[in-house]
Amino acid sequence: MKKMYKITSPEGIHARPAALLVTAVTPFESDIQLTYKGKSVNLKFIMGVMSLGVTPGSIVEISAAGPDIEKLFQTVTEIMVSKEIGEEC
């Protein structure tokens, strides 16, 4: 399963938003990847997420596979919107 998100945070995905996303997805069994400009990283590892240098206004793809992806994507979307990191495209 894949979803696209537009990053609305004025700082992009820097330390705080990255930490919020990583913390939210870590408890899930499913594998989850964040892709930006053709490079994919595991969304459960903060250094990988921050290394992408996602800028404001960018479109990122989040993809996941596993037994709990419905709840996982619900959580990702809730964090993106409630913490003003991004919005689903």
Side-chain angles (χ1 to χ4, degrees):
M1 179 179 218
K2 296 179 182 180
K3 287 192 178 185
M4 306 295 279
Y5 294 88
K6 180 177 181 181
I7 303 306
T8 57
S9 166
E11 300 85 19
I13 299 182
H14 61 88
R16 185 185 132 288
L20 290 169
L21 288 168
V22 170
T23 301
V25 302
T26 298
F28 291 92
E29 281 185 61
S30 296
D31 292 324
I32 185 163
Q33 299 287 313
L34 173 66
T35 303
Y36 175 63
K37 290 188 174 179
K39 184 176 177 193
S40 294
V41 297
N42 187 328
L43 191 52
K44 294 182 181 182
F45 294 103
I46 192 163
M47 294 309 290
V49 174
M50 289 176 52
S51 75
L52 293 177
V54 180
T55 57
S58 298
I59 303 293
V60 298
E61 177 185 276
I62 296 179
S63 57
D68 51 6
I69 59 172
E70 295 294 331
K71 180 66 176 159
L72 175 61
F73 272 106
Q74 180 182 352
T75 300
V76 168
T77 301
E78 285 173 6
I79 293 294
M80 285 279 197
V81 173
S82 69
K83 302 299 182 185
E84 299 179 351
I85 299 168
E87 58 192 23
E88 192 173 347
C89 295

